[in-house]
Amino acid sequence: MIAVRFSVRPGQGEPSGFDLGDIVCEGESGSVRSADRGLMVYLSVALLLDDLRPLLFGKRQNVSFGGVDMSVRIDFERVGKGLVSVSSRGVPVGRARVEDLARVFLRAAEELAEQGLSSLPEGDGVRIDYSTAVRKFRAAEA
């Protein structure tokens, strides 16, 4: 099973679509975390959902995600029927069923939105992109 958390780092002043945050992905074999400096979390999560959609719901066999301003990489690969392997630079993190992985990433993205996305201005481009990525991911999962 894979667990995922997205978070915004505190103390950055007025909320912005470019806020720094962290991604943590943990599994039975290890974990991968964004580096000490963090990453542009809203942009990165939107990109991650857009990248994962064709892997989880389409015919794509692998995805290598680097995020926006992220110093680590998370690799996703379909292995066997209905399973996805997660690793980082060749180091295993774990495996999960496609449905479970989709649910975990969607829930983590929704939690991040609940925690901070609403504090961004209504017309903020990053807020719009993030909301669109979550909506498309949710629709593909249904």
XYZ file of all heavy atoms in Angstrom, residues 70-117:
366
model
N 11.519 20.589 -7.866
C 11.665 19.454 -6.950
C 12.967 18.727 -7.256
O 13.277 18.471 -8.405
C 10.473 18.510 -7.140
C 10.392 17.405 -6.140
S 8.766 16.604 -6.318
C 9.130 14.992 -5.720
N 13.700 18.389 -6.241
C 14.998 17.753 -6.461
C 14.943 16.232 -6.432
O 15.950 15.587 -6.637
C 15.996 18.251 -5.424
O 15.571 17.878 -4.145
N 13.783 15.657 -6.172
C 13.650 14.202 -6.204
C 12.740 13.808 -7.354
O 12.028 14.633 -7.911
C 13.110 13.624 -4.877
C 14.050 13.896 -3.739
C 11.732 14.130 -4.575
N 12.797 12.548 -7.688
C 11.954 12.035 -8.758
C 11.159 10.860 -8.208
O 11.670 10.064 -7.430
C 12.837 11.571 -9.919
C 12.034 11.225 -11.154
C 12.936 10.831 -12.291
N 13.325 9.440 -12.081
C 14.483 8.924 -12.428
N 15.399 9.672 -12.985
N 14.754 7.655 -12.217
N 9.899 10.756 -8.659
C 9.060 9.623 -8.289
C 8.680 8.922 -9.586
O 8.150 9.545 -10.507
C 7.794 10.057 -7.526
C 8.154 10.900 -6.298
C 6.994 8.831 -7.107
C 6.955 11.500 -5.592
N 8.973 7.632 -9.654
C 8.698 6.846 -10.850
C 7.542 5.895 -10.583
O 7.499 5.235 -9.543
C 9.942 6.050 -11.261
C 11.122 6.955 -11.555
O 10.953 7.896 -12.357
O 12.204 6.726 -10.984
N 6.637 5.830 -11.543
C 5.471 4.956 -11.474
C 5.512 4.039 -12.690
O 5.724 4.511 -13.809
C 4.174 5.767 -11.518
C 4.053 6.779 -10.416
C 4.577 8.054 -10.567
C 3.410 6.467 -9.235
C 4.455 8.999 -9.567
C 3.286 7.402 -8.221
C 3.814 8.672 -8.384
N 5.308 2.738 -12.467
C 5.332 1.797 -13.582
C 4.278 0.715 -13.363
O 4.196 0.128 -12.284
C 6.710 1.153 -13.705
C 6.824 0.212 -14.873
C 8.212 -0.379 -15.009
O 9.072 -0.167 -14.134
O 8.426 -1.065 -16.011
N 3.513 0.468 -14.409
C 2.562 -0.645 -14.353
C 3.352 -1.950 -14.355
O 4.212 -2.155 -15.190
C 1.626 -0.615 -15.549
C 0.511 0.386 -15.400
C -0.468 0.196 -16.543
N -1.646 0.990 -16.357
C -2.756 0.552 -15.776
N -2.844 -0.680 -15.340
N -3.798 1.339 -15.642
N 3.052 -2.802 -13.393
C 3.702 -4.111 -13.295
C 2.605 -5.138 -13.063
O 1.885 -5.080 -12.094
C 4.744 -4.167 -12.159
C 5.943 -3.298 -12.472
C 4.156 -3.763 -10.828
N 2.468 -6.034 -13.974
C 1.408 -7.027 -13.821
C 0.051 -6.405 -14.046
O -0.093 -5.227 -14.355
N -0.947 -7.200 -13.880
C -2.313 -6.767 -14.143
C -2.860 -5.963 -12.955
O -3.018 -6.485 -11.857
C -3.195 -7.977 -14.404
C -4.512 -7.617 -15.013
C -5.179 -8.850 -15.566
C -6.402 -8.421 -16.319
N -6.320 -8.740 -17.722
N -3.101 -4.676 -13.200
C -3.723 -3.839 -12.191
C -2.827 -3.352 -11.075
O -3.305 -2.803 -10.098
N -1.499 -3.530 -11.196
C -0.576 -3.080 -10.160
C 0.345 -1.992 -10.694
O 0.735 -2.008 -11.862
C 0.302 -4.228 -9.667
C -0.310 -5.230 -8.714
C 0.692 -6.325 -8.380
C -0.786 -4.559 -7.440
N 0.699 -1.056 -9.799
C 1.662 -0.008 -10.126
C 2.776 -0.059 -9.089
O 2.522 -0.117 -7.887
C 1.000 1.389 -10.120
C 2.036 2.478 -10.347
C -0.095 1.463 -11.168
N 3.996 -0.047 -9.589
C 5.178 0.004 -8.736
C 5.619 1.461 -8.618
O 5.654 2.190 -9.609
C 6.298 -0.830 -9.358
O 7.493 -0.653 -8.648
N 5.963 1.876 -7.402
C 6.427 3.236 -7.152
C 7.862 3.144 -6.658
O 8.180 2.338 -5.779
C 5.544 3.949 -6.104
C 6.029 5.371 -5.862
C 4.081 3.926 -6.526
N 8.725 3.982 -7.248
C 10.133 3.998 -6.842
C 10.681 5.410 -7.000
O 10.019 6.292 -7.540
C 10.944 3.011 -7.682
O 10.935 3.387 -9.040
N 11.902 5.602 -6.533
C 12.588 6.873 -6.705
C 14.040 6.589 -7.044
O 14.763 6.005 -6.235
C 12.501 7.718 -5.431
O 13.191 8.936 -5.605
N 14.405 6.924 -8.268
C 15.780 6.707 -8.751
C 16.240 5.264 -8.540
O 17.333 4.999 -8.062
C 16.728 7.689 -8.111
C 16.350 9.139 -8.387
C 17.423 10.092 -7.974
N 16.958 11.470 -8.007
C 16.890 12.227 -9.107
N 17.244 11.746 -10.260
N 16.459 13.471 -9.020
N 15.334 4.333 -8.841
C 15.654 2.916 -8.762
C 15.472 2.290 -7.397
O 15.613 1.079 -7.237
N 15.151 3.077 -6.388
C 14.945 2.563 -5.027
C 13.442 2.347 -4.823
O 12.660 3.292 -4.924
C 15.499 3.533 -3.965
C 15.232 3.014 -2.563
C 16.986 3.770 -4.187
N 13.022 1.110 -4.545
C 11.591 0.818 -4.399
C 10.950 1.555 -3.229
O 11.549 1.705 -2.166
C 11.542 -0.682 -4.153
C 12.881 -1.213 -4.522
C 13.853 -0.076 -4.382
N 9.721 2.000 -3.450
C 8.895 2.582 -2.398
C 7.791 1.596 -2.046
O 7.534 1.334 -0.884
C 8.307 3.943 -2.848
C 7.296 4.459 -1.839
C 9.424 4.959 -3.060
N 7.142 1.040 -3.057
C 6.097 0.063 -2.813
C 5.258 -0.166 -4.053
O 5.549 0.366 -5.123
N 4.228 -0.983 -3.877
C 3.294 -1.296 -4.952
C 1.882 -1.091 -4.452
O 1.614 -1.231 -3.254
C 3.434 -2.747 -5.400
C 4.696 -3.038 -6.148
C 4.705 -4.471 -6.584
N 5.898 -4.729 -7.379
C 6.064 -5.781 -8.135
N 5.117 -6.701 -8.191
N 7.149 -5.945 -8.828
N 0.998 -0.810 -5.412
C -0.411 -0.657 -5.063
C -1.259 -0.997 -6.270
O -0.806 -0.888 -7.409
C -0.695 0.775 -4.614
N -2.480 -1.393 -5.999
C -3.429 -1.592 -7.087
C -3.755 -0.228 -7.689
O -3.756 0.782 -6.983
C -4.702 -2.253 -6.571
C -4.503 -3.675 -6.113
C -5.753 -4.310 -5.627
N -6.770 -3.317 -5.262
C -8.047 -3.563 -5.164
N -8.500 -4.763 -5.376
N -8.897 -2.620 -4.822
N -4.041 -0.214 -8.976
C -4.348 1.029 -9.685
C -5.446 1.803 -8.959
O -5.314 3.007 -8.718
C -4.748 0.733 -11.150
C -5.337 1.957 -11.815
C -3.562 0.212 -11.933
N -6.530 1.128 -8.600
C -7.658 1.792 -7.950
C -7.254 2.420 -6.619
O -7.679 3.526 -6.280
C -8.816 0.811 -7.695
C -9.291 0.053 -8.915
C -8.438 -1.182 -9.223
O -7.863 -1.810 -8.310
O -8.348 -1.507 -10.418
N -6.454 1.696 -5.851
C -6.018 2.202 -4.552
C -5.104 3.415 -4.716
O -5.224 4.397 -3.982
C -5.305 1.111 -3.758
C -6.222 -0.030 -3.368
O -7.455 0.177 -3.311
O -5.711 -1.142 -3.140
N -4.183 3.338 -5.671
C -3.264 4.448 -5.906
C -4.031 5.690 -6.354
O -3.762 6.796 -5.873
C -2.218 4.050 -6.947
C -0.962 4.900 -6.999
C -0.194 4.832 -5.692
C -0.074 4.457 -8.151
N -4.991 5.518 -7.230
C -5.809 6.647 -7.686
C -6.540 7.284 -6.508
O -6.556 8.514 -6.355
C -6.797 6.186 -8.752
N -7.116 6.471 -5.666
C -7.872 6.964 -4.510
C -6.953 7.717 -3.534
O -7.308 8.782 -3.030
C -8.555 5.789 -3.812
C -9.625 6.152 -2.857
C -10.428 4.969 -2.312
N -9.884 3.633 -2.482
C -10.235 2.779 -3.463
N -11.109 3.129 -4.367
N -9.698 1.580 -3.531
N -5.757 7.182 -3.297
C -4.811 7.802 -2.366
C -4.356 9.175 -2.872
O -4.331 10.149 -2.113
C -3.601 6.862 -2.140
C -2.435 7.587 -1.524
C -4.005 5.681 -1.286
N -4.019 9.258 -4.150
C -3.552 10.534 -4.694
C -4.682 11.553 -4.775
O -4.471 12.732 -4.491
C -2.873 10.337 -6.054
C -1.425 9.981 -5.914
C -1.030 8.661 -5.836
C -0.456 10.966 -5.817
C 0.306 8.322 -5.680
C 0.882 10.640 -5.655
C 1.264 9.314 -5.587
N -5.869 11.117 -5.143
C -6.993 12.038 -5.211
C -7.319 12.577 -3.823
O -7.513 13.786 -3.637
C -8.228 11.360 -5.817
C -9.476 12.225 -5.887
C -9.236 13.484 -6.724
C -10.644 11.418 -6.440
N -7.367 11.704 -2.832
C -7.680 12.142 -1.466
C -6.634 13.124 -0.944
O -6.968 14.140 -0.327
C -7.815 10.937 -0.529
C -8.282 11.328 0.852
C -9.693 11.920 0.798
N -9.902 12.741 1.973
C -10.518 13.906 1.984
N -11.030 14.398 0.900
N -10.657 14.585 3.095
N -5.353 12.854 -1.193
C -4.290 13.758 -0.741
C -4.420 15.121 -1.416
O -4.230 16.166 -0.782
C -2.923 13.147 -1.018
N -4.756 15.135 -2.701
C -4.933 16.398 -3.434
C -6.140 17.163 -2.902
O -6.100 18.389 -2.764
C -5.081 16.121 -4.925
N -7.224 16.453 -2.602
C -8.413 17.104 -2.049
C -8.133 17.671 -0.656
O -8.586 18.769 -0.321
C -9.572 16.116 -1.995
C -10.106 15.752 -3.361
C -11.131 14.636 -3.346
O -11.142 13.818 -2.391
O -11.911 14.566 -4.301
N -7.363 16.958 0.153
C -7.012 17.451 1.491
C -6.173 18.717 1.396
O -6.386 19.664 2.160
C -6.278 16.370 2.284
C -7.188 15.266 2.746
C -6.437 14.108 3.408
O -5.185 14.171 3.525
O -7.101 13.134 3.800
N -5.217 18.749 0.463
C -4.407 19.955 0.285
C -5.296 21.118 -0.143
O -5.138 22.242 0.348
C -3.301 19.721 -0.747
C -2.407 20.926 -1.030
C -1.645 21.359 0.216
C -1.441 20.610 -2.163
N -6.231 20.863 -1.029
C -7.157 21.913 -1.475
C -7.978 22.437 -0.299
O -8.160 23.648 -0.145
C -8.065 21.392 -2.576
N -8.461 21.526 0.543
C -9.262 21.924 1.702
C -8.447 22.759 2.683
O -8.960 23.686 3.301
C -9.808 20.694 2.417
C -10.867 19.945 1.641
C -11.158 18.558 2.211
O -10.636 18.217 3.296
O -11.901 17.810 1.546
N -7.166 22.451 2.821
C -6.313 23.131 3.793
C -5.867 24.513 3.349
O -5.648 25.375 4.182
C -5.074 22.287 4.103
C -5.389 21.010 4.819
C -4.199 20.065 4.873
O -3.106 20.395 4.437
N -4.424 18.871 5.386
N -5.683 24.722 2.037
C -5.098 26.011 1.676
C -5.485 26.605 0.347
O -5.329 27.796 0.147
N -5.986 25.813 -0.565
C -6.277 26.333 -1.904
C -7.344 27.420 -1.859
O -7.269 28.405 -2.592
C -6.714 25.196 -2.825
C -6.734 25.528 -4.311
C -5.328 25.787 -4.829
C -7.385 24.405 -5.097
